[in-house]
Amino acid sequence: MDEFAYRDGALHCEGVPLTSVAEQFGTPTYVYSASTLIDHYRRFAKAFDAINPLVCFSAKALSNVHLLRLLGREGAGVDAVSGGELHRAMLAGIDPERTVLAGVGKSETELREAVRRDIRCINVESEAEVELLSRIARQEGRRPRLAIRVNPDVAPDERTPARTTTGTRGGKFGVDIDRAATLFNRAAADDALRVEGFHVHLGSPIFDPQVYATAIDRLLALVAMLEQAGHRITTLNLGGGFPAEYLDHTAPSWDDFAEVIIARMADFTARGGQVIFEPGRTIAANAGVLISTVRYLKQAGERQLVVLDAGMTHLARAALYDSYHFIWPLQPPAEATPGSRDVSGLAGLTEYDVVGPICESSDYLARARSLPELKAGAHLAIFTAGAYGMTMTSNYNSQQRPAEVLVHGDQVRLIRRRETYDDLVALELLDEVDGQ
Ligand SMILES: *Cc1c(COP(=O)(O)O)cnc(C)c1O
């Protein structure tokens, strides 16, 4: 369910026509639906109600402080992968008891910040990191809680891109599962540390619930082995990776995942264990669109090109992963109002390559895409852009990052202003700033 829909000939976000957002704030601009974000979080949490998980929203998918705060008020925690994301979580008022930190290369400073804040769990990814954490814990006089991120060597399904697969042997994330027990024992023997369990994150997006099942079965075997040796395992963090619907009816429902996961985890939680999830994409992707304006139309060989004001610096996923984003005008002709993302039945469409303004030949948002006939100045929406959209923007080509706007009902609020030329050079003109 999302709150982006065509009504009266125009795309609305909740009660607001997006053309009015484009006029007021310009483009390219990310527009988020508060109701959708909240609804997705609530329904995700409800699907797993039976095992009462701690749901830590993955800030790297969508990290605007206002949106983290919105989710925090609903009871969500935050999964951070850097000190910067921890800082955002703190500004958003997220309770450290609902904050977890992951990352294969955490700095000493980042670990120290997490120790000082006494966050719910630090997910460590190597033997060397356990040593460093132990040293910091002694210096700080604290006993941080940690889980060991395990690489369970589970291949995701064939639709998970290799570039976003994280849980197969030889990859950079986590500790090989056959070395995890040794590391657990080392941490458990350290009175400066409280090692509580294990963490996995398998990749993203994962469409097949059986991938989770396989990883959980391996994890539970490890838990059983350690419990037989007298340890108590109280935390199992199953990560994120749940899919979002980029088309129509391609992603399984949260209930499909819950069925497989609850069946395996119910026994662990009945014994007092805490399950943690770190969903990002599945909550945020369809809670945001990127709106853009057509700058030019041109022909190149046999191809019709439409050149937008948004490109790979504003939404990197298409160029980086060949990802699909549904794209459609904010005000399509009446006969081309899409009832779904399958537009093959609509009349009068033209095939375009959709490109951005960046000087880089990978700067395509879509190739060979059927769209209503476009004119310069027309506004388009690039859908399912709420996750890994704004957070992956860059200033390449000295492009200014987009504005972000939050819609709730008929209320529209700017939650990040568009960058200016001064913003682009603010960190470089040090002499001027220091008056030297
Ligand atoms: C990126 C990431 C997530 C979130 O992944 P999604 O596919 O967006 O749900 C969760 N946990 C960790 C450790 C991550 O790095």
Side-chain angles (χ1 to χ4, degrees), residues 266-283:
D267 189 46
F268 174 73
T269 56
R271 287 185 280 131
Q274 175 70 63
V275 173
I276 300 177
F277 289 115
E278 302 171 330
R281 181 192 310 279
T282 203
I283 306 275

Side-chain angles (χ1 to χ4, degrees), residues 23-256:
E23 278 154 23
Q24 189 178 351
F25 298 102
T27 62
T29 292
Y30 278 93
V31 185
Y32 306 103
S33 156
S35 300
T36 305
L37 196 66
I38 291 169
D39 174 67
H40 286 184
Y41 167 75
R42 285 186 187 162
R43 288 197 297 122
F44 179 89
K46 187 158 181 285
F48 291 96
D49 210 18
I51 51 172
N52 192 26
L54 171 58
V55 180
C56 293
F57 176 71
S58 175
K60 82 176 190 285
L62 177 65
S63 64
N64 186 295
V65 172
H66 298 273
L67 303 179
L68 297 182
R69 189 175 291 146
L70 201 63
L71 288 167
R73 277 197 223 117
E74 292 294 315
V78 160
D79 159 42
V81 292
S82 68
E85 287 186 356
L86 275 185
H87 183 66
R88 287 176 176 277
M90 194 190 61
L91 285 179
I94 305 293
D95 187 345
E97 273 306 309
R98 305 181 83 76
T99 303
V100 298
L101 177 67
V104 71
K106 300 176 204 76
S107 71
E108 180 166 343
T109 306
E110 287 172 325
L111 285 171
R112 195 176 298 278
E113 286 164 0
V115 169
R116 286 188 180 159
R117 282 184 203 152
D118 191 23
I119 66 167
R120 175 64 182 74
C121 196
I122 300 172
N123 297 315
V124 300
E125 304 218 14
S126 63
E127 286 84 354
E129 190 185 347
V130 172
E131 298 305 324
L132 177 58
L133 184 62
S134 172
R135 188 151 54 75
I136 293 170
R138 278 166 213 287
Q139 289 165 355
E140 298 292 330
R142 309 222 180 203
R143 283 185 74 213
R145 290 164 284 179
L146 64 139
I148 291 164
R149 178 166 179 177
V150 170
N151 177 341
D153 193 21
V154 175
D157 53 273
E158 68 286 346
R159 286 191 289 165
T160 307
R163 278 169 291 185
T164 53
T165 293
T166 54
T168 52
R169 194 173 167 83
K172 79 169 192 174
F173 295 103
V175 177
D176 290 345
I177 191 154
D178 45 17
R179 289 177 21 231
T182 308
L183 186 56
F184 185 96
N185 280 317
R186 186 263 168 254
D190 188 331
D191 59 13
L193 301 175
R194 280 182 284 170
V195 60
E196 298 198 331
F198 297 99
H199 171 226
V200 287
H201 173 67
L202 306 169
S204 179
I206 293 166
F207 291 91
D208 183 356
Q210 283 309 315
V211 174
Y212 287 88
T214 307
I216 290 170
D217 290 344
R218 291 185 188 172
L219 216 49
L220 289 176
L222 179 63
V223 169
M225 189 179 88
L226 285 163
E227 286 186 337
Q228 283 198 339
H231 293 292
R232 236 192 121 220
I233 311 295
T234 54
T235 300
L236 287 178
N237 182 335
L238 302 177
F242 303 95
E245 191 57 79
Y246 286 88
L247 278 157
D248 288 317
H249 315 299
T250 62
S253 73
W254 292 317
D255 286 333
D256 294 332

